[in-house]
Amino acid sequence: MPSPVPRSLRGFYRCLPIACCVWTALWVLSRTETRLAVIGDFGSDAIGGGHNEARAAALVEDLNSAYRLDGILALGDTNYPVGSATTMDVNVGKYYGKFIWPLTSSFSNGAPDKQNRFFPCPGNHDWGNRLHGGSLAAYLQYMPVAGRYFYDVVINDVHIFSLDSDPNQERLNGTTATSPQAQWLQAGLAASTAPWRLVFFHHPPFSSGVHGSNPNMQWPFEEWGAHAVLSGHDHHYERVMQGPRDFPYFVNGLGGGMLYGTSAEEVEGSVVRYTGTPGAQLVEANTSHIRFRLVAAVPGYPVADCWQMRRDLDGSTISEACPPDMPPPILDTRHHISSPGLLGSNSSAVMCLGMRSRCVGQQGTTCCAQLVCHSDGRCGPPTNTAAASHHMLRLQQRMHSHSHSHSHAQQQLTAPASDQQQQRRRHRLFLHTALRGLS
């Protein structure tokens, strides 16, 4: 006869099947979540922006360590300053080579499993930062896009559509709602059977940033079957809700390029605006819900914004804020670069523009790189100081080749206005000049 099970182990064996079932269920649930990281305007190492780019890349690496990301969406401007083949590898492969396949790089052998997880779209700097006559040759040769300007990929429960919104595309496949590119998107969205469909491209349809909105890209995405639109170009984060069902438009330019604030006027539907630190979005989806979290690349990885959509019992989609008790996305930050970088030692500046572009720090303290807190709670450039003159002179020298645009902005300053209006216009001029040179 077999030996009887000791009494001390009987409880263990009774619980073992239950524990196995629970573990299996948790494992299945963890793998049914599709997780994507979203970065924008990041390829700045070649122009001295490697510190910010490294901070955002470290965040993405920690996200990948925690979840094994299913993909990275890159929202354009992957290769500053002019999309050259000589700068592509140091701007992209140095930081994200392990996610790319196929890849020819001096920094990385590419994805170890030979499965591509990097999905870009082109930006104006990838096109050479020229409105007309630009070239996308280096991007098309290096990136895992098979020579395509726009394409789509199904990643588990998420169907992504990458578009080219640059003006140079106007002479090829168009950038309006009736263009061949738009017709391709409309047909693709209609044919998709994925629970969630995301569209991403560089120039935002709606933005409170210095570049502003792009009316030519205000296509009927929701009507065609998309669930969200993600863009970059303006170097801040913003969530804009449009329509009666709160269709979300995300602006995310925090991937590593020079960060700057937003304009004084909010675009209609703007709900959240954030800048001052690099960051990335974490998108999590399964058949019943999709969630978008903006994670700041600072110690502790705070979540600066969270929005989700879920399926109701009748099959309709409900768009809503995330539950307030949701746990943070990352607990292990072993790869994170803890240097405060542009924020200096003022940790209160993490949310220096935060919600509705308000300043967390006290008046006169530094926030958002070279910006300071003003008496009205606005985080903006210093005024009436030697520092402001120095910043303006440096930017004007850098932007000498863009004298026409600069002169137009200067003319706006000469119009009669109140002191408050003058201050806002100085703010816009400062950001406009910086944008033209570094965005």
Side-chain angles (χ1 to χ4, degrees), residues 105-161:
S105 169
S106 59
F107 295 97
S108 171
N109 293 324
D113 59 358
K114 299 183 180 181
Q115 298 295 316
N116 180 61
R117 290 188 283 156
F118 193 82
F119 305 99
C121 69
N124 52 294
H125 284 272
D126 301 308
W127 270 100
N129 204 27
R130 300 176 61 182
L131 290 177
H132 304 287
S135 172
L136 198 61
Y139 169 97
L140 294 174
Q141 181 176 0
Y142 186 93
M143 291 296 191
V145 296
R148 298 169 294 179
Y149 295 105
F150 47 92
Y151 61 92
D152 67 306
V153 177
V154 178
I155 308 174
N156 303 326
D157 292 323
V158 182
H159 195 161
I160 62 170
F161 295 83

Side-chain angles (χ1 to χ4, degrees), residues 152-194:
D152 67 306
V153 177
V154 178
I155 308 174
N156 303 326
D157 292 323
V158 182
H159 195 161
I160 62 170
F161 295 83
S162 172
L163 304 181
D164 185 357
S165 59
D166 192 78
N168 284 279
Q169 188 60 231
E170 294 172 1
R171 56 186 163 87
L172 299 172
N173 299 283
T175 60
T176 65
T178 58
S179 65
Q181 183 176 200
Q183 294 172 10
W184 169 86
L185 174 65
Q186 183 178 9
L189 288 170
S192 177
T193 58

Side-chain angles (χ1 to χ4, degrees), residues 204 206-207 231-232 234 236-240 249-253 281:
F206 303 96
S207 173
S231 304
D234 274 321
H236 72 286
Y237 169 86
E238 184 170 14
R239 173 161 53 85
V240 180
Y249 290 85
F250 296 97
V251 180
N252 181 357
Q281 283 174 279

Side-chain angles (χ1 to χ4, degrees), residues 220-278:
F221 298 104
E222 182 180 20
E223 178 184 333
W224 290 352
H227 293 100
V229 169
L230 303 105
S231 304
H233 200 39
D234 274 321
H235 294 191
H236 72 286
Y237 169 86
E238 184 170 14
R239 173 161 53 85
V240 180
M241 313 301 290
Q242 292 286 324
R245 290 185 291 273
D246 285 334
F247 184 86
Y249 290 85
F250 296 97
V251 180
N252 181 357
L254 302 179
M258 173 188 174
L259 302 176
Y260 45 76
T262 55
S263 62
E265 295 81 14
E266 297 178 4
V267 69
E268 182 179 356
S270 177
V271 179
V272 175
R273 298 192 288 176
Y274 174 89
T275 191
T277 72

Side-chain angles (χ1 to χ4, degrees), residues 243-317:
R245 290 185 291 273
D246 285 334
F247 184 86
Y249 290 85
F250 296 97
V251 180
N252 181 357
L254 302 179
M258 173 188 174
L259 302 176
Y260 45 76
T262 55
S263 62
E265 295 81 14
E266 297 178 4
V267 69
E268 182 179 356
S270 177
V271 179
V272 175
R273 298 192 288 176
Y274 174 89
T275 191
T277 72
Q281 283 174 279
L282 173 63
V283 180
E284 303 165 289
N286 59 27
T287 56
S288 63
H289 75 264
I290 186 168
R291 182 180 301 117
F292 303 83
R293 289 195 272 185
L294 173 66
V295 184
V298 297
Y301 291 146
V303 175
D305 183 40
C306 185
W307 191 255
Q308 67 181 17
M309 288 171 280
R310 59 181 175 85
R311 302 289 187 196
D312 202 357
L313 295 177
D314 61 1
S316 61
T317 301

